[in-house]
Amino acid sequence: MAKRIFNFSAGPCTLPLSALEKAQSEFVDYGNSGMSLIEMSHRGKIYDAVHNQAIDVFKELLAVPDTHEILFLGGGATLQFAMVPLNLMVEGKTAEFVNTGAWAKKAISDAKKCGSVKVIWTGEGESFMRIPRKDELVFNQEASYAHVCGNETIGGIEWQEIPDTGKVPLVVDASSHVMSRPIDWNRVAMMYAGAQKNLGPAGLAVIVMRKDLIEHGKEGLPAYLAYKTHVPDKSMYNTPPVFAIYMMKLTLDWVKEQGGLKGMEALAIKRSCTIY
């Protein structure tokens, strides 16, 4: 095998070698089926098992409660910048955003095209060098939802504690640090994450969303853009990003072997202390 390098890029992550090698060994002939997994019908029993196992291990590792639904959708986190406001904005109400940097700004930009947006705090005047203090955040309890980006990879700042938004549904872009720490689902109504930072290859977004938000989502949207479209068939309304989901499942199996979130948090702290 060619010598592997250390990858400190903020983009696609370095995947566990054991997961890559397992995928390599199974790529041409998956489970003695005579076919690659990516050649099979996503409606067949073989892929169905992979898909459900990916949901199960994700739910177990992040301790997702039964109040929340797990969805695997294409388009990465960027599509969620539009899907969130399209589904959750309520006419006559604002969506509130905390602007902590490049990724929050992209979410704000798309939300403004869908309805009323209020930025309740911005770090732009300080070159996005910090996360707001608790006393700087006041959420309107009548807002459609509130949105934060959990970790701004470009600016290098991260929420150490997700804010308490009261009865306002909190939406968190967790692309850069999903699976690195526990999530307080009592506070987080919805989490979305592009897979390529921590979970697997690009092209997949994982959404964990409170079921009542899905049920009361906006009507009249194009089918793929409505979260409620994807729930009955467990994210298989259309052909899902099969390979990305399979690789995520292998990566999550490795995470579980390393001690789950506690193991990942310990490794993250060790890496940070080594580098910085």
Side-chain angles (χ1 to χ4, degrees):
M1 175 179 288
K3 183 179 180 181
R4 288 176 57 78
I5 66 171
F6 292 100
N7 176 16
F8 297 109
S9 300
C13 63
T14 299
L15 295 175
L17 183 58
S18 60
L20 291 172
E21 290 176 336
K22 184 170 180 60
Q24 181 184 48
S25 69
E26 296 179 333
F27 189 73
V28 174
D29 183 3
Y30 184 82
N32 297 317
S33 64
M35 299 176 67
S36 174
L37 188 71
I38 64 173
E39 298 175 298
M40 297 179 188
S41 168
H42 64 290
R43 309 289 183 191
K45 291 182 179 179
I46 295 177
Y47 175 70
D48 190 58
V50 172
H51 192 90
N52 287 323
Q53 288 164 12
I55 293 173
D56 290 344
V57 69
F58 189 95
K59 182 174 184 176
E60 177 186 351
L61 288 170
L62 268 188
V64 179
D66 291 337
T67 51
H68 288 59
E69 196 76 50
I70 299 171
L71 299 174
F72 299 152
L73 302 182
T78 299
L79 180 58
Q80 296 308 306
F81 295 159
M83 282 187 71
V84 171
L86 284 172
N87 283 266
L88 300 188
M89 276 188 167
V90 177
E91 189 171 351
K93 294 186 177 183
T94 61
E96 299 200 328
F97 285 76
V98 181
N99 183 9
T100 47
W103 299 112
K105 287 172 70 174
K106 288 180 182 291
I108 291 166
S109 177
D110 273 4
K112 285 180 176 178
K113 299 168 186 175
C114 302
S116 177
V117 167
K118 181 179 180 182
V119 177
I120 64 168
W121 185 90
T122 180
E124 197 155 13
E126 300 174 66
S127 301
F128 298 116
M129 294 297 291
R130 68 180 181 91
I131 295 294
R133 301 186 304 271
K134 288 182 181 180
D135 61 5
E136 294 178 295
L137 296 175
V138 179
F139 295 94
N140 180 355
Q141 295 301 293
E142 298 302 317
S144 296
Y145 65 92
H147 180 283
V148 300
C149 177
N151 183 25
E152 293 279 4
T153 52
I154 293 176
I157 57 174
E158 181 180 30
W159 292 82
Q160 296 304 311
E161 182 182 357
I162 294 298
D164 184 353
T165 58
K167 68 177 184 179
V168 181
L170 176 61
V171 178
V172 179
D173 176 358
S175 298
S176 302
H177 61 177
V178 63
M179 281 296 160
S180 69
R181 64 182 65 190
I183 292 177
D184 184 353
W185 298 110
N186 292 317
R187 289 190 179 185
V188 178
M190 176 182 177
M191 179 223 77
Y192 64 89
Q196 72 275 11
K197 298 293 182 69
N198 277 25
L199 302 175
L204 169 68
V206 178
I207 293 95
V208 182
M209 192 172 181
R210 223 168 56 201
K211 293 178 180 179
D212 65 295
L213 291 183
I214 298 174
E215 293 166 2
H216 297 116
K218 192 179 295 182
E219 299 289 345
L221 296 176
Y224 192 88
L225 298 179
Y227 293 118
K228 64 179 64 178
T229 297
H230 302 282
V231 173
D233 295 319
K234 294 186 176 180
S235 306
M236 288 195 279
Y237 167 76
N238 66 323
T239 306
V242 168
F243 184 72
I245 293 170
Y246 160 67
M247 281 304 308
M248 180 181 69
K249 189 262 179 190
L250 296 182
T251 301
L252 294 179
D253 287 342
W254 176 85
V255 169
K256 186 174 179 179
E257 291 170 0
Q258 304 307 306
L261 296 190
K262 288 184 177 179
M264 292 300 98
E265 191 168 21
L267 285 173
I269 293 169
K270 185 178 181 180
R271 283 195 302 270
S272 296
C273 292
T274 300
I275 296 169
Y276 300 113

